[in-house]
Amino acid sequence: MSFSSIPILDISLARKSDTKPAFLDSLRQALLQVGFLYIENVGIDDGLIQDVIRQGRAFFDLPEEKKLEIQMKNTKSFLGYNKLGNEITAFKTDWREQIDLSTPHPLPKPSDPLYYNLLSPNQWPDPNALPSFRPTYESYIRQMSALSTDFTSLIAEALHLPPTAFDRFFDIDQQHKLKIIKYPDAGALPVQNGGADSPSSDRLAQGVGPHKDSMLTSYLLQASSHRGLQAQNLAGDWIDCPPIPGTLVVAIGQGLQALTHGVCASTTHRVLSPPAGQGPRYSIPFFQGVSYDATFESVDIPAEIIEMRQEMLRNRQRMGKGDDVEFTFEKGRWGHLGEATLMNRVKSHPDVGERWYPDLLRKVREEQREKADKDEKTKLKERNGGGGGGENGSI
């Protein structure tokens, strides 16, 4: 069976002994069947959330030159401002501008692994222009860090594991990340010679293309009333995730999928640009991190939970559906999760890769050419009647 809506879970029920078992049952079903859910009553003061939204919007109102003072390619960390049309997902341009922040970390030492470059200080907007921005977001990141840690313990319990089952995959000073994103409406986007990658008013524009979040879990604050976020079900259909006041949208990341033998599968999702005339959409996702030094060991999932997930996979096979979104943490390809994460960032932000990681960017482009050649040969074989083997693409 394939999901047709996104479940809503009241996290306050997990704080009471008489309602916690039913909450864990609902969470287990959401993890195994959907990989996407809303949570409400999260315990973060609404005043702070409204300040987060106001300060986020105010950042994008700054003059372009002020935002570019902290552009992402200034540093090796992939933290900072990314201007419109400067990111790539699923080989297409993402029509959004954003700023990436994280929990604070010092600069890495020269002897540290290359992926430690992801651990660095933030680039903050000019405090003279936005005096409340930094304290607001530092407070929000602290509270979201605590919330994500608590929720991960609930995930463990929902899988019949001890609440501390995932603790060994976190650093003492674990990095978590946050983005503040503005998606202009389709009428404000450029049209470039009518190319396939160019948005236009008569078709859907890619705010961000089909993808899976990389780390453990992510928590999206939908900061405007626009629709656009969609999750893909087993039938390949796109299911709307409209903004619901007082909620966060939780997406299971590929890191959690890797650590649970695929039981907690990461769900493909995308964002469509708002239609022309509706104004920009704003969103503020928080990404729970996992230690970059972690290897590809997994927790011991109980057999009955694995069987539940296997039944879901058998349903997928019966429906003839597959998934074209690459799994970042493929076992055997990387030594540590940090290596896979760094390569993924280079792929998404080639301007940063070109400046700081040219060898990795060259490798990314070689792999992309090889994949494009392979896909073209497969299509040619199918057109020539050479068989239609392989799964149907989910996107």
Side-chain angles (χ1 to χ4, degrees):
M1 183 174 179
S2 190
F3 67 88
S4 59
S5 62
I6 308 302
I8 304 173
L9 274 64
D10 183 350
I11 199 171
S12 68
L13 299 177
R15 304 182 186 115
K16 303 173 185 176
S17 59
D18 58 333
T19 54
K20 185 174 181 179
F23 172 87
L24 293 177
D25 287 343
S26 297
L27 177 56
R28 185 181 311 112
Q29 293 304 310
L31 293 170
L32 270 61
Q33 296 184 15
V34 186
F36 235 68
L37 61 147
Y38 294 92
I39 54 173
E40 60 184 355
N41 294 319
V42 298
I44 296 179
D45 182 71
D46 185 64
L48 175 59
I49 289 176
Q50 296 307 315
D51 285 344
V52 164
I53 293 172
R54 279 191 292 270
Q55 291 297 316
R57 291 187 178 210
F59 171 78
F60 294 112
D61 290 336
L62 291 175
E64 183 74 3
E65 61 270 17
K66 294 300 293 182
K67 291 183 284 188
L68 289 175
E69 288 176 357
I70 56 169
Q71 61 183 319
M72 187 178 285
K73 67 180 182 181
N74 287 348
T75 72
K76 303 176 182 179
S77 65
F78 296 90
L79 299 174
Y81 172 66
N82 209 33
K83 63 184 181 180
L84 182 68
N86 217 32
E87 186 176 8
I88 295 171
T89 302
F91 303 101
K92 291 185 178 180
T93 300
D94 293 330
W95 294 105
R96 63 180 183 173
E97 58 175 315
Q98 64 191 26
I99 177 173
D100 285 49
L101 304 170
S102 88
T103 45
H105 291 269
L107 287 169
K109 301 185 295 292
S111 58
D112 287 332
L114 188 63
Y115 55 81
Y116 272 35
N117 286 338
L118 299 169
L119 301 168
S120 294
N122 284 305
Q123 296 192 82
W124 293 105
D126 183 352
N128 294 317
L130 290 177
S132 298
F133 184 94
R134 179 171 179 172
T136 295
Y137 274 93
E138 286 183 330
S139 177
Y140 184 67
I141 289 172
R142 281 195 300 271
Q143 295 196 36
M144 286 302 304
S145 298
L147 171 63
S148 66
T149 300
D150 290 343
F151 195 72
T152 301
S153 71
L154 293 173
I155 290 174
E157 291 185 83
L159 299 177
H160 297 172
L161 297 170
T164 58
F166 296 107
D167 286 3
R168 72 180 189 269
F169 300 108
F170 296 117
D171 295 325
I172 295 175
D173 58 345
Q174 179 59 51
Q175 184 191 53
H176 307 294
K177 292 185 176 181
L178 176 145
K179 289 179 183 282
I180 313 166
I181 307 170
K182 176 183 177 181
Y183 298 94
D185 73 33
L189 300 180
V191 176
Q192 301 170 352
N193 303 319
D197 197 28
S198 303
S200 64
S201 59
D202 62 347
R203 61 189 180 86
L204 300 175
Q206 173 171 297
V208 60
H211 68 285
K212 299 176 179 182
D213 292 341
S214 293
M215 303 309 285
L216 232 62
T217 54
S218 57
Y219 302 78
L220 173 65
L221 172 60
Q222 300 197 75
S224 60
S225 61
H226 302 79
R227 290 174 176 261
L229 176 64
Q230 298 180 323
Q232 193 174 45
N233 66 16
L234 294 179
D237 300 322
W238 291 103
I239 307 302
D240 283 333
C241 308
I244 299 177
T247 68
L248 298 172
V249 178
V250 180
I252 300 306
Q254 295 186 72
L256 191 59
Q257 179 173 336
L259 299 181
T260 61
H261 305 276
V263 166
C264 295
S266 185
T267 298
T268 298
H269 53 286
R270 68 180 183 182
V271 175
L272 303 177
S273 298
Q278 289 195 7
R281 177 183 184 270
Y282 296 91
S283 68
I284 304 168
F286 173 91
F287 303 94
Q288 181 190 30
V290 63
S291 174
Y292 292 132
D293 290 327
T295 56
F296 291 82
E297 59 179 311
S298 304
V299 295
D300 293 325
I301 304 294
E304 68 270 20
I305 301 296
I306 292 178
E307 175 54 31
M308 290 180 190
R309 180 59 189 171
Q310 289 301 318
E311 178 59 28
M312 293 296 302
L313 295 177
R314 287 192 286 270
N315 287 339
R316 176 189 288 259
Q317 291 172 350
R318 284 193 289 267
M319 298 171 73
K321 296 298 176 181
D323 196 337
D324 285 345
V325 175
E326 181 183 9
F327 184 58
T328 301
F329 301 131
E330 183 181 347
K331 192 170 184 178
R333 185 179 180 188
W334 312 102
H336 299 88
L337 269 67
E339 297 169 29
T341 303
L342 177 58
M343 186 66 85
N344 204 37
R345 299 297 283 168
V346 170
K347 183 186 300 183
S348 295
H349 299 280
D351 60 328
V352 181
E354 188 171 318
R355 181 168 186 178
W356 299 108
Y357 304 100
D359 291 341
L360 294 184
L361 181 60
R362 192 177 305 112
K363 183 176 180 181
V364 164
R365 288 174 170 164
E366 287 173 356
E367 291 177 351
Q368 289 173 337
R369 282 193 296 270
E370 290 173 1
K371 183 179 187 303
D373 290 343
K374 182 179 179 181
D375 291 346
E376 183 59 32
K377 290 178 181 177
T378 300
K379 291 177 182 178
L380 182 61
K381 183 178 179 180
E382 291 174 352
R383 284 198 299 267
N384 292 337
E391 295 180 328
N392 295 324
S394 63
I395 52 175

